[in-house]
Structure formats: C-alpha cells, structure tokens
Amino acid sequence: MKKTILTTLLIGLASLAVNAQSSLTKTDTIPLKYGAHRTGNRTDAEMERWRSYGLGQFIHWGVYAIPGGQWQGKTYGGAAEWIRSWSKSSAPENWTSIYDNLYKQFNPVNFDAKAWARQAKQMGAKYVIFTTKHHDGFCLWPSKYTNYTIKNSPYKKDIVKEVVDAYNAEGIDVYLYFSIIDWNHKGYRSAAPKTADEIASYETFKKFTRNQLIELVKNYPTLRGLWFDGTWDQAWTKEAAYVDALDKELRKLSPGIIIGSRFRPDDYGKRGQDSNGNLIGDYEQGWERKLPASIEVTKGRDWDCVMTIPPNQWGYNADWKSSYIKTDYDLIQMLLHSVSLNGNLVINFGPDGKGAIRTEEGAIATGIGQWMQQNSEAIYGAKYAGLPKPEYGYYTLKGDKLYLTVFNRPVNNQLRLAIPQSYKKSLQKAALLVGNQSLEIKKTNIGIDRDSNTYFDVTLPANLTIDKPFVVVFDLGESNGNNKNYGDAKT
Ligand code: H76
C-alpha cells in the first residue's frame, strides 16, 4: 500500500488556488483509463481568464418558454424547462404531442440579442452560458443533424449565432450549454442498452451527439467552453471510452476550450470526480444553486455556481408569485461568497416565449450593475484571501489589496478584524473603495490572546450613509511581526 501525504498549500500571490490535494492522505490509487487528466488546476491563460470573471450570466431559452410553466389554466409545478415531462395523469391531454409541436409557434418577435448583451454587460457579467439545446432536444441553432431546430420554426434564424455575435461584440465571453439528454432523438435512452438492437440504436445517438458538438465548436469558433448537463443517465455513464475520445477531439478542435466536471464519466461510471477522488474536467460544476461553506470544501478546485433567481426555475416561468424571488442584494452577497472562495457566480435568466427578458430580471440586472459599477474592483480577478471569513462580510484579495465587502455594519461603526498571527501580510492602510476616504486602523488588545489572532479596529465614518454593501480596501505589506500581540506578560 502506497501512502503519499500531499501537503502543498499554495496561497501565494502568484498561484492563488489552494492545491486540490492539500493535506489529504491518499491511499490506494485505482487504475483508471478514463479518470482525471490531471490532479491540480489548469494553469494556462484561458483558465486564468475564466478564473478572473467573477460574475457570469446563464440563459435558459427554448420552446419551453412558450408555456412558461402552465398550459390552459393548468400549472405544471416542476421546473418550467422540464414541462415536456409533465406526468400523464396531471397534464393536459396529449401533452407530449402538444409540446413537440410548440416549435411551430416559436416566433420570438421581441428577441434582441444586442439588448440582452447590453444588459448583461451593464450588469457586469464577463461571460454568458447559453442553452443551445435543453433536454427536449430543440436546437436553437440550425443543426444539420436533426429537423428539430430553429430553422424549422417561424423564426428561422440562427439564435445561437445572434447571441454569440452580440455578446462577443460587448466583450463578453460565450460558453455553450449542451444537454446530453435529448428527448427528441430516437436513439436516446436513459437505461444502458442491452440487446443488439438497443446498442445499435444508442450508437446512432452517440454519433448524433458527437456530430452536434463538433458542429457547435466549428460553427462558433469564438466559444470559450462547453457547459454540459444531463449526463447522469446510465447509458451515458457507461460510455467512458467514447466520451473521453470525444472530449479529446473537442479540445483538439478548439484549443484552450474549458469543459467542466459534468461531461465525462470514469471507467466505473463515476461522474464529477473519478474513483480516486480527482476532479474530472477543468472545474467543479457540482455547486448548482449551492455555495460551498468554506475553502476546505472546495478542495482548492476551480468552480462555478449556477444560480436561479426563483428557487429552481431556469426556463421562463410566468408565475413568480408563489415563491421567494432572490433580490439583487441576495445575489450580490452570493457573488461575494463565491469570489471569496475562488468561484464564479452565474446568474440565470429565463427570457419569455417572445424573447423578452422579464422586467423583474431586468431590475435585478440593473441593481447588480449599479453596485458593480462602483465596487467591481473587489470582484474581477479577485480571489480567496487566505483569511477566515469576517463576520461583517467577505474578504477578497487581488495583488497587494485586500477587500472587505461589508454586509453587516456594526452599530458602533468599528470593524474589529481578527487576523491570524500566522498571516503573512500586514494591514497597512485602509480606505473606502468608493471615494477613497482613508480610515484609521488601530491594533486592539482585547485580551483574547489564546486564539492566535491579532485584532485590528477600523473606524467607519459615522456620517457614512449607505444602504448597500460597501467595500473597505486594505493595502497589504510584508508582515513585520505586526500581527503579533505585544506587551503580553509572562505567566
Ligand atoms: C435537472 C436539471 C437541469 N440542470 C439545470 C442547469 C437546468 O438546466 C435544469 O433543467
């Protein structure tokens, strides 16, 4: 039995990612042909670019936007983009066939890719993930490999192209969402094929999937990555060799492309991380609508969190009355939470059947954008600071600047920061990010000296009137022993 203790902890300023293997004890390694391609994070420029985004936009759009979660007075109840799978007993009569013909009405007269892109830019999104095809199989690009595409709708034009061009024109990177599940393809199945006929039929689906992916990568050469979904079927998870070869092929066709952890299964059908616990793909895609509670649970991996504004609705749902809708404040807090732990937050929008982004989403985008306009320095390119989470909000770090985004302002206007004595940097200067007003820092001895922290008090201006989160910037210097408590008596 070979035991390796990997104790690499990289919180240096050059490589800000904490190594995935930090302080893990690895025991037996299972031999895998199709496991992780590497054990640490990617270090190339494309991935560095991905890491610096902070904020992204997700868009779920397709024919499911027409019913918007309901049909003829009946409510589906599940996630609106899943409405095709409305169960027979509660669904309108002939529901599947109604749904499969909806594309004949897909004519989004209000769709304006440039307006979407402008709004995303104004919100501060650095990248967009756009649904080319969801589980229903309807393609928003004119795929050569099926008739179930935008080309055969009244709209006709290539929506993927319009989106790619418009977002690129705003300087926003484009990633394409692609569902492996395809309820429209005859060869698609969920259970692993067993009989010769089933296997032959599934082969047609595999070929089709490969063709479509190659088509997307070739059609839209500026794409930066693929965001896979619907890869959990047993039929797919048993195809490790096929998917591995396809992954390599796509990477060859599109050098630098970024593909998350939801594409390839390993030899044993494990997804996300392989049977040895190593991440498959370029970043962790498992934080869907969830945020890691600490840096430890991220295992030092790159990750994104895709977040819905309502509880779990991705495609347009007409009914936003029945549940809690996140506010721009909630989402800004999630953004800080994400960036403070080395993740990107991707906020989902679900345009309606006519192509309009609902006014509530527009207002949220505006609110976030106004905040980003003033405070994005604490977000873009910022990383985990190597410090425990402060009770007032979140730390992010960029170069020699430490940002504290304050959500919980103390009533006495004193931010008392507990800095571990082991921290390699010292806090030199403090100022409000907006307006650059400098703030006094005082070392504070409050008698708690057994917890290995040094306490610093930063006084906020009493006349600071602000009802939004705000940022305090610290200039960091080399630690000169400053963090140690002084004057401790011998006992
Ligand atoms: C389940 C599921 C899918 N994954 C999310 C990202 C949405 O696309 C949802 O429909």
Side-chain angles (χ1 to χ4, degrees):
M1 191 187 285
K2 198 179 155 222
K3 278 202 171 181
T4 334
I5 300 173
L6 298 164
T7 48
T8 349
L9 195 65
L10 303 170
I11 316 175
L13 291 176
S15 168
L16 291 161
V18 180
N19 188 287
Q21 306 302 320
S22 60
S23 61
L24 283 182
T25 304
K26 281 192 110 198
T27 50
D28 284 342
T29 299
I30 299 165
L32 294 173
K33 275 198 240 166
Y34 309 112
H37 291 153
R38 79 183 74 77
T39 51
N41 293 330
R42 261 172 69 169
T43 54
D44 53 285
E46 283 83 7
M47 201 67 208
E48 269 305 314
R49 184 181 173 100
W50 185 94
R51 259 172 220 132
S52 72
Y53 294 145
L55 178 62
Q57 179 189 41
F58 209 153
I59 297 182
H60 271 71
W61 200 37
V63 292
Y64 41 79
I66 297 174
Q70 44 193 259
W71 195 251
Q72 291 171 343
K74 286 189 166 190
T75 302
Y76 166 52
E81 73 283 0
W82 275 71
I83 196 168
R84 185 184 182 274
S85 61
W86 207 337
S87 85
K88 275 210 172 73
S89 52
S90 63
E93 214 167 322
N94 291 323
W95 172 244
T96 313
S97 130
I98 293 171
Y99 187 91
D100 289 344
N101 285 288
L102 279 180
Y103 73 99
K104 295 176 186 163
Q105 307 171 32
F106 193 67
N107 191 16
V109 290
N110 297 328
F111 172 53
D112 178 352
K114 289 181 184 149
W116 290 10
R118 272 197 304 275
Q119 185 183 61
K121 169 97 174 185
Q122 185 276 330
M123 178 172 82
K126 292 286 189 187
Y127 70 124
V128 66
I129 307 169
F130 184 66
T131 49
T132 58
K133 167 176 111 167
H134 204 262
H135 310 334
D136 61 7
F138 183 69
C139 301
L140 290 182
W141 82 102
S143 177
K144 282 190 292 199
Y145 304 102
T146 169
N147 290 324
Y148 194 43
T149 79
I150 193 67
K151 196 172 167 196
N152 295 315
S153 75
Y155 187 73
K156 290 194 174 63
K157 287 175 280 181
D158 182 349
I159 284 179
V160 174
K161 181 168 169 37
E162 289 188 64
V163 167
V164 170
D165 290 349
Y167 277 74
N168 282 167
E170 292 290 348
I172 298 174
D173 286 353
V174 178
Y175 291 71
L176 298 180
Y177 167 106
F178 185 92
S179 168
I180 296 297
I181 290 178
D182 187 325
W183 296 324
N184 189 259
H185 191 274
K186 282 208 193 69
Y188 164 75
R189 53 192 358 271
S190 166
K194 289 198 180 79
T195 66
D197 280 357
E198 287 171 356
I199 292 169
S201 155
Y202 198 60
E203 282 305 312
T204 67
F205 175 69
K206 282 158 60 185
K207 282 212 183 79
F208 166 72
T209 301
R210 171 174 171 270
N211 283 336
Q212 286 206 319
L213 287 168
I214 292 172
E215 185 179 46
L216 284 173
V217 165
K218 288 193 170 162
N219 277 7
Y220 313 103
T222 63
L223 102 170
R224 298 257 173 195
L226 290 164
W227 204 97
F228 284 101
D229 197 16
T231 51
W232 48 79
D233 291 314
Q234 208 197 25
W236 186 256
T237 62
K238 287 201 159 174
E239 293 291 345
Y242 185 79
V243 189
D244 191 60
L246 181 52
D247 178 278
K248 290 190 170 119
E249 195 176 5
L250 294 169
R251 290 180 190 279
K252 200 161 178 195
L253 287 169
S254 182
I257 194 173
I258 293 174
I259 298 175
S261 62
R262 274 197 210 181
F263 186 38
R264 292 195 297 119
D266 82 355
D267 310 42
Y268 298 94
K270 268 209 98 203
R271 302 185 309 121
Q273 54 177 35
D274 69 17
S275 300
N276 290 316
N278 291 315
L279 183 73
I280 300 177
D282 300 326
Y283 66 94
E284 173 64 75
Q285 261 182 293
W287 296 107
E288 178 173 321
R289 295 189 302 109
K290 282 190 208 87
L291 291 167
S294 67
I295 196 73
E296 285 74 26
V297 292
T298 71
K299 301 184 179 170
R301 294 169 176 166
D302 289 309
W303 59 275
D304 74 358
C305 166
V306 292
M307 184 56 74
T308 51
I309 298 175
N312 183 23
Q313 298 288 334
W314 302 84
Y316 176 75
N317 190 323
D319 174 22
W320 265 23
K321 294 271 178 307
S322 333
S323 51
Y324 179 75
I325 303 298
K326 294 176 194 78
T327 62
D328 47 355
Y329 180 96
D330 293 332
L331 294 160
I332 292 168
Q333 183 154 17
M334 289 173 174
L335 174 62
L336 264 300
H337 186 146
S338 301
V339 175
S340 75
L341 299 177
N342 288 333
N344 289 326
L345 183 75
V346 187
I347 302 172
N348 182 70
F349 288 66
D352 68 22
K354 297 248 184 303
I357 290 182
R358 68 199 309 154
T359 49
E360 300 97 320
E361 286 178 351
I364 285 170
T366 303
I368 295 172
Q370 283 168 350
W371 189 85
M372 288 292 277
Q373 193 77 43
Q374 301 207 292
N375 301 291
S376 66
E377 191 186 317
I379 302 293
Y380 301 139
K383 291 285 123 199
Y384 170 61
L387 288 168
K389 185 192 175 304
E391 58 196 296
Y392 310 111
Y394 301 87
Y395 287 129
T396 51
L397 176 76
K398 188 159 50 181
D400 58 2
K401 301 250 191 247
L402 175 69
Y403 302 91
L404 167 59
T405 303
V406 178
F407 289 79
N408 310 312
R409 178 180 181 177
V411 293
N412 67 352
N413 282 321
Q414 295 285 110
L415 299 171
R416 179 160 292 168
L417 306 178
I419 304 293
Q421 287 170 11
S422 58
Y423 192 54
K424 291 283 182 288
K425 302 276 163 182
S426 63
L427 310 185
Q428 303 281 3
K429 272 200 260 166
L432 292 172
L433 177 62
V434 173
N436 200 28
Q437 183 180 345
S438 61
L439 306 174
E440 199 183 357
I441 310 178
K442 276 187 189 154
K443 190 135 75 168
T444 307
N445 193 328
I446 52 170
I448 304 173
D449 65 352
R450 299 286 180 220
D451 63 0
S452 304
N453 290 321
T454 301
Y455 292 82
F456 294 90
D457 271 15
V458 177
T459 310
L460 295 171
N463 64 358
L464 173 68
T465 50
I466 186 159
D467 60 358
K468 295 277 180 328
F470 60 92
V471 179
V472 178
V473 194
F474 296 91
D475 287 359
L476 293 180
E478 291 311 311
S479 179
N480 47 12
N482 210 18
N483 293 346
K484 295 242 163 52
N485 278 329
Y486 55 89
D488 280 348
K490 278 191 179 160
T491 52

